Amino acid sequence: MEPIPNIKSENIPLTEERIVGGKYKVDALLGKGGMGDVYRATNIENGMVVAVKTIREELNSPDLRDRLKIEAQTAGKLEHPYIQQVIDYIETPANDGNMESVYVMKDIMGKPLNQVHLSLDKKVDVLLQVAQGLDYANSKKVLHRDLKPGNFLVANESSGHQEDFFGCLSDFGVTHSSEFLEVNDDTLYGTPPYMSREHAKGEQIPGDTEAADFALAVFKSLTDRTIVEFSEDTTIHTPIEIIGYMAELNHLPPKAEEALKAKFKYSGEQVIDVFNKALADPKNPYKHFKDPYSNATKFMLDLRDALTTELNASNRYSAVTK
């Protein structure tokens, strides 16, 4: 049996005590992100341990706070075993005297997938669970908008799970109800290398599914590189340039296909087909790929089938050569 990895999140002790929202005592820094910092905290009223995310001061405008409040209320309605639930939203005085937005989330004591070493089959299991959480959110008309390996948590402690370790979709801090998506909004939320075509264009996402965005994040999880890094155009560097590239992407670039063939020598072609289907554009088909996946779980099931072929073939080869 594969040993259970140590995937408890690390605590970075703070030098001074801090109380957020009048009841959350901040215990340790868990990590830093593009939107703000995440801390472990304790509710001094009931002892519950939570994760608290504060929004960076330079981003914290009144308009953004109004938007974040609505989005926190939307995300707070999501209850799923593979989603890190938002349980509170607070506006509290910041160091500069202005108000600060604070998300309070269930603390699952986990680490981002990109910081955990897992075998291929276990990694696929975790990603499938994350996909199920994402599909649940999308089915409720909620778009995550920042899917990336850093937001896929792996944990091995939870009273609600029987698995040795499990995957969990986190950081709904930039989520949005698709019913209220402003298609012509000048502000694009997310991380450019993981933006699907419609996301990068700021368009309505067909079928309210983020399967394509999820596939881009899974590609990174499997190869340790983003798809844009395999582009034939070596002049793509800035966020704006990356967004422009992603807005036209409807299939894997040749170098990305070569990388998958090299990594998965028994099932490379199958894996390539799964990713090309995920990125398919009905308006501009690539080869026979014109109908993209309708949800992330279907994408992961096909990918698991392809990778199971890889694992089985690899195991047979190892047995023969022993």
Side-chain angles (χ1 to χ4, degrees):
M1 179 181 294
E2 179 185 351
I4 300 173
N6 177 16
I7 50 182
K8 291 184 179 180
S9 53
E10 299 175 358
N11 292 337
I12 304 173
L14 302 179
T15 57
E16 59 184 37
E17 183 175 292
R18 181 183 177 192
I19 303 293
V20 176
K23 61 179 179 180
Y24 296 104
K25 177 182 175 294
V26 177
D27 301 318
L29 175 67
L30 295 179
K32 293 179 175 287
M35 291 278 292
D37 300 335
V38 181
Y39 302 90
R40 173 160 291 128
T42 302
N43 186 327
I44 59 179
E45 295 179 355
N46 58 22
M48 178 185 289
V49 178
V50 297
V52 172
K53 179 174 182 177
T54 60
I55 306 302
R56 294 204 328 248
E57 289 184 13
E58 61 267 31
L59 299 177
N60 206 12
S61 67
D63 287 345
L64 180 61
R65 285 199 301 274
D66 289 343
R67 187 166 189 165
L68 290 176
K69 184 176 182 179
I70 294 173
E71 294 175 357
Q73 292 170 344
T74 300
K77 298 176 182 178
L78 300 176
E79 295 187 35
H80 190 276
Y82 302 132
I83 288 179
Q84 184 181 28
Q85 187 180 13
V86 176
I87 57 178
D88 202 356
Y89 173 80
I90 300 168
E91 291 185 0
T92 187
N95 295 331
D96 61 1
N98 293 316
M99 298 302 290
E100 179 180 45
S101 297
V102 178
Y103 281 90
V104 182
M105 301 167 286
K106 181 180 179 181
D107 187 4
I108 65 167
M109 304 287 184
K111 281 185 178 181
L113 178 59
N114 55 356
Q115 296 178 19
V116 180
H117 176 72
L118 295 174
S119 63
L120 179 59
D121 57 334
K122 294 297 185 184
K123 181 178 289 188
V124 170
D125 287 343
V126 165
L127 288 169
L128 179 55
Q129 292 163 344
V130 173
Q132 292 169 355
L134 175 63
D135 287 342
Y136 169 80
N138 288 170
S139 73
K140 300 298 182 182
K141 306 294 184 182
V142 176
L143 304 177
H144 187 283
R145 298 195 302 174
D146 196 19
L147 297 168
K148 55 188 176 184
N151 286 337
F152 304 161
L153 298 185
V154 187
N156 58 3
E157 287 186 0
S158 175
S159 59
H161 294 80
Q162 300 300 317
E163 301 95 334
D164 290 339
F165 45 90
F166 64 95
C168 189
L169 179 59
S170 73
D171 202 353
F172 276 80
V174 295
T175 191
H176 206 303
S177 169
S178 60
E179 295 177 339
F180 302 100
L181 181 62
E182 300 173 19
V183 175
N184 295 318
D185 191 344
D186 291 331
T187 303
L188 270 181
Y189 293 96
T191 306
Y194 307 108
M195 289 183 176
S196 65
R197 193 171 46 255
E198 291 81 12
H199 188 166
K201 292 179 180 179
E203 296 178 350
Q204 184 76 38
I205 295 178
D208 295 326
T209 177
E210 294 177 284
D213 298 69
F214 181 72
L216 293 168
V218 171
F219 183 92
K220 167 70 172 181
S221 297
L222 294 180
T223 66
D224 292 325
R225 296 175 68 183
T226 62
I227 286 180
V228 69
E229 294 178 69
F230 292 98
S231 170
E232 301 287 342
D233 186 349
T234 58
T235 65
I236 301 173
H237 301 293
T238 69
I240 294 298
E241 291 168 344
I242 295 173
I243 290 171
Y245 175 81
M246 303 309 293
E248 302 299 325
L249 188 69
N250 68 342
H251 66 278
L252 292 175
K255 290 183 179 180
E257 293 192 356
E258 292 171 7
L260 289 176
K261 289 177 183 177
K263 187 174 183 66
F264 305 114
K265 60 181 180 179
Y266 299 107
S267 62
E269 292 289 353
Q270 292 173 264
V271 174
I272 289 168
D273 284 351
V274 173
F275 278 103
N276 278 335
K277 178 175 174 60
L279 300 175
D281 182 0
K283 299 177 182 178
N284 183 27
Y286 169 72
K287 296 184 177 178
H288 62 281
F289 302 103
K290 64 177 183 177
D291 296 318
Y293 286 101
S294 58
N295 60 61
T297 300
K298 290 181 179 179
F299 160 75
M300 275 308 305
L301 290 173
D302 279 0
L303 184 61
R304 185 180 65 177
D305 287 346
L307 293 175
T308 297
T309 299
E310 179 74 21
L311 290 167
N312 290 341
S314 179
N315 291 337
R316 287 196 299 271
Y317 177 80
S318 298
V320 170
T321 56
K322 284 184 179 179

